[in-house]
Amino acid sequence: MQSPPTLAAHDPMLKLENQLCFPFYAVSRQLTKTYQPYLQALGLTYPQYLVLLLLWEHEQLTVKELGDRLLLDSGTLTPLLKRMEQRQLLSRRRDPRDERSVVIGLLPTGRALEAQARDIPGQLLAKAGLDLDELAALRTQLTQLLARLT
Amino acid sequence: MQSPPTLAAHDPMLKLENQLCFPFYAVSRQLTKTYQPYLQALGLTYPQYLVLLLLWEHEQLTVKELGDRLLLDSGTLTPLLKRMEQRQLLSRRRDPRDERSVVIGLLPTGRALEAQARDIPGQLLAKAGLDLDELAALRTQLTQLLARLT
DNA sequence: CAATGTTTGATTGTGCACAATTAATTGGGG
DNA sequence: CCCCAATTAATTGTGCACAATCAAACATTG
């Protein structure tokens, strides 16, 4: 009687609203858009911001280490890092002890963005309407799911 | 004493592991990779699969309606739909009653993929290690977050 | 009906994202 | 020492993703 307005029987598992992945896909893109105005003020894209988060903490990392932490491969990172190198945010050089590795180092211009980025996380949490407890709980679930998928 | 191996004081809010967005970003990409072998068997990408999910349910939708439901704009959808049109999965034509609108219609080739896709959601849930209750709870949280962001 | 503003897709340009391939380098094992 | 498998980036090609712009069609108002 109160069936949906479809003409034929339709497998409910194949409805968009019942998909597992779509909410993650949509939330991820919406979150990136939410970051965008803050990052645009720093001239950064979201993946570039992630690279800087790691460099602010570690100062030097190889392309491989960045890829392992961000789950991105060199086909994504190499051109992204070259663009950031052109802006003097970071340096790229071969490791003399292993010429296969490329070491990415934070430059002063990149370090200077750290201060300007300091209040971005807080503003994002406010926009998302999450308090720190909810955030921690959600992050735990997502991290567990991520571990099961990788 | 047990401080991390950083040289200077570092704002913990700017550590990657404490970010809100990164787990969503990473999980979303990992989920897409998890779908990939199943979708590759149908010759589909993940966004193309989402379009078909909607068309399997609704048969006909305008580009605008697809964009509203998937939160994608025409710059993403137009070339994607043209590729699917070339494969005879769907048709694209102007609405005679409003020539601004483009109506996307499911073609038999696209309908035929529905049967082949039927067990994808179940296999994905198994791989993610989620049961239906966990899934429903997670989806509720994500949908609420999405509503707050849009 | 004419002027005006709105809606809708398409186009353009930039930047990810990743599979597949290539190339250089390294570290062993014989 | 030399061959050989493994490691690491870079390259290439395809396909999203989105901002900005444009153009066509429609709706509304006077």
Side-chain angles (χ1 to χ4, degrees):
Chain A
M1 291 301 178
Q2 67 277 35
S3 60
T6 48
L7 297 176
H10 179 75
D11 187 344
M13 288 291 278
L14 287 181
K15 293 175 82 166
L16 180 66
E17 64 194 72
N18 293 331
Q19 293 307 302
L20 165 66
C21 190
F22 178 69
F24 285 101
Y25 170 71
V27 166
S28 174
R29 286 185 294 111
Q30 286 300 309
L31 274 174
T32 302
K33 286 184 199 171
T34 308
Y35 274 95
Q36 208 264 347
Y38 303 103
L39 295 180
Q40 187 171 254
L42 310 189
L44 297 174
T45 65
Y46 181 68
Q48 289 172 4
Y49 172 65
L50 295 181
V51 167
L52 282 181
L53 284 177
L54 285 171
L55 291 176
W56 289 333
E57 189 175 354
H58 297 289
E59 194 86 21
Q60 275 202 349
L61 290 168
T62 65
V63 174
K64 169 139 185 54
E65 289 168 330
L66 286 170
D68 286 345
R69 285 173 165 80
L70 299 176
L71 305 178
L72 292 171
D73 72 4
S74 68
T76 300
L77 286 174
T78 296
L80 182 155
L81 294 169
K82 284 182 175 174
R83 280 187 285 271
M84 295 178 77
E85 182 188 30
Q86 284 185 347
R87 290 186 51 204
Q88 315 268 317
L89 299 175
L90 50 79
S91 60
R92 295 168 66 249
R93 59 181 173 72
R94 293 280 167 181
D95 182 346
R97 292 177 306 177
D98 184 343
E99 289 282 341
R100 292 170 304 180
S101 296
V102 171
V103 179
I104 305 300
L106 188 61
L107 293 181
T109 316
R111 175 62 75 186
L113 291 182
E114 187 179 15
Q116 300 180 53
R118 190 147 282 148
D119 45 357
I120 291 180
Q123 291 175 296
L124 255 288
L125 283 182
K127 271 211 182 177
L130 292 172
D131 61 33
L132 286 175
D133 287 346
E134 289 178 292
L135 171 62
L138 203 46
R139 195 154 48 207
T140 300
Q141 280 194 70
L142 293 175
T143 304
Q144 286 175 3
L145 178 56
L146 188 59
R148 279 196 293 254
L149 292 175
T150 50
Chain B
M1 289 304 177
Q2 67 278 37
S3 61
T6 47
L7 297 175
H10 180 74
D11 187 344
M13 288 291 279
L14 287 181
K15 292 176 84 167
L16 179 66
E17 64 195 73
N18 293 331
Q19 292 308 301
L20 165 65
C21 189
F22 178 67
F24 285 100
Y25 170 72
V27 166
S28 175
R29 288 185 293 112
Q30 287 300 307
L31 274 174
T32 302
K33 286 184 199 172
T34 309
Y35 274 94
Q36 209 263 346
Y38 303 103
L39 295 179
Q40 187 170 254
L42 310 190
L44 297 174
T45 64
Y46 181 68
Q48 290 172 4
Y49 172 66
L50 295 181
V51 167
L52 282 181
L53 285 177
L54 285 171
L55 291 176
W56 288 333
E57 190 175 354
H58 296 290
E59 194 86 21
Q60 276 201 349
L61 290 168
T62 65
V63 173
K64 166 133 185 59
E65 290 168 330
L66 286 170
D68 286 345
R69 285 173 163 80
L70 299 176
L71 306 178
L72 292 172
D73 72 4
S74 69
T76 300
L77 286 174
T78 296
L80 183 154
L81 294 169
K82 284 183 175 174
R83 280 187 285 273
M84 295 177 78
E85 182 188 30
Q86 284 186 347
R87 289 186 51 204
Q88 315 268 316
L89 299 176
L90 48 82
S91 60
R92 295 168 66 250
R93 58 181 173 73
R94 294 278 166 183
D95 182 344
R97 293 177 306 176
D98 185 343
E99 289 281 342
R100 292 171 304 179
S101 297
V102 171
V103 180
I104 304 301
L106 188 61
L107 293 181
T109 316
R111 175 63 74 187
L113 291 182
E114 187 180 14
Q116 301 181 52
R118 190 148 282 149
D119 45 356
I120 291 181
Q123 292 176 296
L124 255 288
L125 283 181
K127 271 211 181 175
L130 292 172
D131 61 35
L132 286 176
D133 288 345
E134 289 178 293
L135 172 62
L138 203 46
R139 195 154 48 208
T140 300
Q141 279 193 70
L142 293 176
T143 304
Q144 286 176 3
L145 178 55
L146 188 59
R148 280 197 293 255
L149 292 175
T150 51

